Amino acid sequence: TLKAVVFDLDGVITDTAHLHFLAWHAVAEEIGITIDEVFNEQLKGISRMDSLQRILKHGGKEGTFSDEQCLALATKKNAFYVQSLASLTEDSLLPGIRDVLADIRTANVKIGLASVSLNAPGILRALGIQHAFDFCADASLIICSKPDPEIFLAACAGLNVRPEEAMGIEDAPAGVEAINAAGMLSVGIGSGLNHAGLQLDSTRELTWKCLTEFWASRTY
Ligand code: G6P
Ligand code: MG
């Protein structure tokens, strides 16, 4: 039986994926690198420092900045990002999320969070949903970014369920890979997530009914 549902945060629970993009876009422009939304797909689910490395590589500037300069760039990005988070309120949940969280709880299935964002606790508080989760994996303890399964395995361990008893929900290719690699059932939100066990166009479709039907139809 299904014992837990583990959520990604940015781009699944709230639209912070776009705010991450805007902050990186501003920092990248300052060092002469232009990034667009297509390239940004590769940054989703990737930690702050790894994201910076990908941007530098994308702009042909890999290895041109010292560790200190990289840290300063990442710190600047985070300052922009945190500023933009001030706009988050309890109304910033993506469509359907409040209902699906409530329905999962009513069904007595555990709810976990697997976000590599160090800002996750603050974002949950701003959204007023910190109590909706039985366990949130601690991003500061995670060594490998998605697509490594580490954070999803940490979430399952914290929830005290086996990965085969859980499903994960993601908006990023790297995140779907991480769920699959953990041995969990994967749900992808948005386009281009061909490796997800179930693909949905938006969180509007992410209902408890849809999740239970998917669970019942699994083939392993
Ligand atoms: C999530 C987002 C990424 C972000 C990462 C780290 O995975 O999808 O875009 O880079 O978290 O976030 P942080 O808030 O710690 O910089
Ligand atoms: Mg995401």
Side-chain angles (χ1 to χ4, degrees):
T1 51
L2 175 63
K3 293 201 176 153
V5 180
V6 179
F7 287 80
D8 172 47
L9 174 65
D10 297 302
V12 171
I13 289 183
T14 186
D15 193 21
T16 37
H18 187 64
L19 301 179
H20 276 294
F21 169 69
L22 293 178
W24 277 127
H25 186 271
V27 169
E29 286 293 327
E30 288 185 15
I31 53 172
I33 299 174
T34 296
I35 59 169
D36 60 17
E37 304 255 12
V38 174
F39 170 72
N40 188 55
E41 285 304 305
Q42 297 175 38
L43 300 182
K44 291 183 177 176
I46 307 301
S47 72
R48 198 179 303 167
M49 290 312 279
D50 288 354
S51 295
L52 176 60
Q53 289 310 321
R54 288 190 186 209
I55 290 166
L56 295 177
K57 192 170 175 196
H58 178 70
K61 301 203 178 196
E62 215 181 3
T64 43
F65 295 97
S66 68
D67 287 355
E68 245 183 347
Q69 288 172 313
C70 285
L71 191 61
L73 289 167
T75 303
K76 187 179 245 184
K77 181 268 175 176
N78 192 55
F80 283 150
Y81 178 62
V82 169
Q83 249 174 35
S84 68
L85 291 178
S87 64
L88 286 189
T89 69
E90 302 196 354
D91 295 328
S92 309
L93 290 178
L94 281 166
I97 293 297
R98 191 178 299 283
D99 287 344
V100 79
L101 287 172
D103 291 348
I104 297 169
R105 174 148 315 274
T106 303
N108 250 320
V109 169
K110 289 177 182 172
I111 303 177
L113 190 81
S115 169
V116 300
S117 172
L118 297 167
N119 291 298
I123 292 173
L124 293 185
R125 271 195 302 278
L127 297 171
I129 54 165
Q130 67 271 44
H131 302 300
F133 296 86
D134 296 293
F135 181 79
C136 297
D138 182 347
S140 71
L141 302 178
I142 299 300
I143 294 162
C144 304
S145 259
K146 299 165 188 177
D148 191 282
E150 184 179 3
I151 193 156
F152 281 98
L153 293 174
C156 288
L159 291 167
N160 204 16
V161 301
R162 288 182 293 124
E164 312 82 67
E165 300 170 320
M167 58 169 93
I169 304 182
E170 265 287 352
D171 68 317
V176 169
E177 298 300 339
I179 297 170
N180 292 343
M184 300 160 70
L185 220 52
S186 57
V187 179
I189 312 280
S191 56
L193 300 172
N194 310 327
H195 293 164
L198 175 67
Q199 279 181 274
L200 302 176
D201 287 338
S202 94
T203 53
R204 263 175 245 280
E205 295 168 25
L206 188 68
T207 60
W208 174 239
K209 180 173 182 282
C210 158
L211 294 180
T212 47
E213 282 171 8
F214 173 45
W215 184 260
S217 74
R218 75 200 187 286
T219 48
Y220 62 86

